[in-house]
Amino acid sequence: MRQAIMSSPGKIEYFKVKAPGELKPNELLLKIERIGICGSDVHVFHGEHPATPYPVVQGHEYCAIVKAVGEEVSKAKPGMKVTARPQQVCGKCNPCKRGQYNACQNLKVEGFQAPGVAQDYFIVSEDRLVVLPDSFTFEEGAMVEPTAVGAHATSRPTGLKGKNVVVSGAGTIGNLVAQFAKARGAKEVLITDVSDYRLDKAKECGIELTLNVKNASVEDEIKSCFGDEGFQVGFEAAGVQTSLDLLLANVEKGGDVVILGVYAKNPEVNMYYVGEHELNIYGSMMYRHKDYEEAVSMIAEGKIKTEPLVSKHFPFNEFWEAYKYIEDMRDKAMKVMIDL
């Protein structure tokens, strides 16, 4: 069995390891078919992720085929197409007890603090498994994880129906957040970025209002898009200071701002301004199981488009080349897939 290990930032090594051992009654053996490279994976590659030690086996966005199941497993059987949540939680802390296990105080995420799926076979417990429709491609299966991020983030504020929304950052996550905001009944959705390519991808996915913040006044464009209504909810999906500033300075008083971006450097926030405008700032940490299930349903129903976001495929033994491609292409690399 092959395994890819990132031994230090920018260094990926391949090893032959023993096949997984005997399954526990609640476990399944998966044959990994596709792995998506996430923006957080890129941070790890460059040594910029604040919560990842080395060495680490990456990979948490994936699609697999069930090869074997434990004796107590009832959700799936060999041959079925699946994915699974990468969260290992304690189940004992207060967040876990109240159902907020995505913010577990002892959380370990596969691909970051626990070994990920960058290997031929992988074992998961049934409680984290999500069965996929037969009609799903391997690529759609691997896109369920980032889509679930969009599902969860758009459930965080105090409702979206009938509200105007701005999503700052048109990468894969920002794109999926914008699509989910529309699916949840937002009146208008504007997505912003500094890349025309990413904004064109957003249009391809049905997000009609786009803004390149390098080319126009943000305030003027918001006025043009929303008139006197302004916008009531903002999603920060870029992880940069200027992106956060844009939302906080322009969202309606009493409005909601949801933070998804991973910041390489902690941003500065004018808390006096936040208080005086009575803004609601929400964190959004990954997802819960219902978000995965909703992501699968939305993709299956065609309400969320993922195919336009897949930029390129690389074979398993070219992980480093995949990261180099992302670095070289920059804004033109949306979702890069690793094929096993």
Side-chain angles (χ1 to χ4, degrees), residues 38-257:
C38 170
S40 294
D41 293 332
V42 176
H43 284 297
V44 174
F45 180 76
H46 290 291
E48 296 175 347
H49 196 282
T52 302
Y54 301 88
V56 60
V57 179
Q58 286 194 295
H60 64 286
E61 305 177 1
Y62 64 97
C63 185
I65 296 293
V66 177
K67 299 300 289 185
V69 301
E71 59 186 19
E72 294 179 2
V73 171
S74 60
K75 188 185 292 185
K77 58 185 179 180
M80 295 180 74
K81 201 174 295 181
V82 298
T83 187
R85 289 184 292 108
Q87 300 145 315
Q88 296 181 7
V89 303
C90 72
K92 299 177 181 179
C93 66
N94 284 337
C96 280
K97 288 178 180 178
R98 63 174 178 258
Q100 200 175 357
Y101 52 83
N102 57 308
C104 170
Q105 290 179 343
N106 302 295
L107 177 67
K108 291 184 179 180
V109 181
E110 291 162 353
F112 298 91
Q113 300 86 34
V117 301
Q119 48 196 306
D120 289 301
Y121 293 93
F122 194 72
I123 291 176
V124 298
S125 56
E126 185 179 24
D127 63 305
R128 294 191 286 124
L129 190 78
V130 176
V131 176
L132 303 174
D134 292 338
S135 60
F136 263 39
T137 64
F138 289 140
E139 289 73 24
E140 286 175 320
M143 288 294 292
V144 169
E145 193 274 351
T147 305
V149 173
H152 186 70
T154 52
S155 71
R156 293 289 290 142
T158 54
L160 294 179
K161 192 170 183 178
K163 295 181 180 179
N164 292 327
V165 172
V166 173
V167 179
S168 188
T172 300
I173 295 298
N175 182 299
L176 292 166
V177 167
Q179 289 194 61
F180 246 105
K182 286 194 68 174
R184 293 200 190 283
K187 184 176 180 180
E188 297 286 357
V189 178
L190 168 68
I191 191 166
T192 72
D193 205 282
V194 296
S195 164
D196 285 333
Y197 179 84
R198 288 181 175 178
L199 294 173
D200 286 342
K201 282 293 178 182
K203 290 179 181 177
E204 198 174 333
C205 292
I207 310 303
E208 298 170 358
L209 299 178
T210 64
L211 168 63
N212 189 319
V213 295
K214 293 193 303 183
N215 301 334
S217 163
V218 173
E219 292 79 5
D220 289 347
E221 287 299 313
I222 288 173
K223 179 76 172 178
S224 175
C225 291
F226 304 131
D228 293 334
E229 291 182 0
F231 71 98
Q232 294 73 49
V233 184
F235 293 90
E236 201 300 286
V240 295
Q241 179 77 57
T242 53
S243 175
L244 181 60
D245 291 344
L246 181 156
L247 294 177
L248 292 176
N250 291 283
V251 70
E252 182 179 283
K253 285 188 176 183
D256 300 339
V257 175

Side-chain angles (χ1 to χ4, degrees), residues 251-306:
V251 70
E252 182 179 283
K253 285 188 176 183
D256 300 339
V257 175
V258 182
I259 310 298
L260 297 93
V262 176
Y263 293 82
K265 179 182 177 182
N266 285 334
E268 296 180 2
V269 178
N270 184 336
M271 296 307 294
Y272 173 80
Y273 183 92
V274 171
E276 286 294 297
H277 288 69
E278 204 166 69
L279 301 181
N280 304 302
I281 298 180
Y282 296 86
S284 184
M285 177 57 177
M286 301 183 75
Y287 29 66
R288 298 175 200 163
H289 204 79
K290 65 179 182 180
D291 300 310
Y292 255 68
E293 292 173 340
E294 189 172 18
V296 171
S297 295
M298 288 289 197
I299 294 172
E301 293 169 14
K303 294 180 179 178
I304 301 292
K305 298 179 181 179
T306 62

Side-chain angles (χ1 to χ4, degrees), residues 1-3 30-32 117-122 316 340:
M1 185 180 89
R2 302 168 298 170
Q3 188 178 71
L30 307 184
K31 170 68 173 69
I32 306 301
V117 301
Q119 48 196 306
D120 289 301
Y121 293 93
F122 194 72
F316 181 74
L340 283 85

